[in-house]
Amino acid sequence: MNLLSRRCRNALDSLCIPALSARAGVALAAALSLGASSCASIVGEHEAETKFLVKPSTQAKFSGWSEVSVSQDPSSVDGAKLMFIRLEARDNNVPDLTFIKSITAEAVVDGAATKIAGKSPMPTGERIVPLDRAYHGDIRKFFYEDTENGGYTVHVDWRGELDLTKKIPEEGVWMKVIVAVSIE
């Protein structure tokens, strides 16, 4: 049975975020499929890693989306809260993230977007930057029943603005995103 379905679409050829890594996605699927009363070891803090590519362009805007699907109903756990989202340049030649002027992550359900995190401006000299959390409630509500995939899906839209005065390698910069969730 397929517990995790991953999809990503690149919009404007500037940002692409694969959903969760297979290992982290399976861990999230397992955590959501086993209620806290079923397995006490699922309760606690869990991290997942994603990535996206920021490519140089003449446009200052970038956008994209990512989705994660699980086969079990997220309401089978008592709760899930976002602890942090952290960005990091995967390329060691990038001194900091100031080539990104701003970034916003929004969870979208039935056309309604909820800002979950963002950052503007990026601090000078920092290669690892935590986003500012904008949403502090239970994230299970962002999973909707997805009959196409036979499970439950969370959809995240990413958008932002680039600083065109900063040099970005022609092949782009891969960004690593670490997401930490507390499962109750």
Side-chain angles (χ1 to χ4, degrees):
M1 174 179 266
N2 184 10
L3 290 177
L4 177 68
S5 172
R6 301 179 326 153
R7 290 182 280 185
C8 177
R9 181 180 71 194
N10 189 355
L12 303 177
D13 292 329
S14 60
L15 175 69
C16 185
I17 303 173
L20 294 177
S21 67
R23 189 181 105 222
V26 170
L28 178 60
L32 291 174
S33 67
L34 297 173
S37 62
S38 300
C39 182
S41 66
I42 297 302
V43 173
E45 299 175 8
H46 302 273
E47 288 188 6
E49 181 179 320
T50 67
K51 65 180 180 175
F52 66 90
L53 179 64
V54 175
K55 294 178 98 175
S57 79
T58 58
Q59 299 177 358
K61 305 274 184 212
F62 64 86
S63 65
W65 59 268
S66 60
E67 292 182 335
V68 170
S69 295
V70 294
S71 62
Q72 300 296 316
D73 186 344
S75 66
S76 63
V77 296
D78 291 336
K81 294 195 180 200
L82 179 65
M83 295 174 53
F84 67 80
I85 299 176
R86 185 177 72 221
L87 293 180
E88 178 180 342
R90 294 182 74 189
D91 181 346
N92 290 332
N93 296 326
V94 176
D96 61 25
L97 306 184
T98 57
F99 62 92
I100 298 174
K101 285 176 103 174
S102 67
I103 190 166
T104 300
E106 295 178 323
V108 180
V109 179
D110 294 329
T114 301
K115 182 177 177 180
I116 56 174
K119 188 73 169 182
S120 177
M122 296 293 181
T124 302
E126 297 294 327
R127 291 181 32 79
I128 301 172
V129 177
L131 297 184
D132 299 324
R133 284 187 320 148
Y135 182 80
H136 299 277
D138 194 330
I139 62 172
R140 293 178 303 158
K141 75 179 203 168
F142 298 126
F143 283 86
Y144 59 89
E145 189 169 8
D146 186 349
T147 54
E148 181 180 313
N149 290 321
Y152 297 83
T153 297
V154 62
H155 177 98
V156 177
D157 283 341
W158 297 85
R159 60 184 164 75
E161 187 176 356
L162 297 172
D163 183 344
L164 297 178
T165 66
K166 304 288 182 175
K167 178 114 172 103
I168 301 173
E170 191 171 312
E171 65 277 6
V173 176
W174 280 100
M175 301 298 298
K176 178 168 60 171
V177 181
I178 302 294
V179 178
V181 175
S182 175
I183 302 207
E184 303 167 353

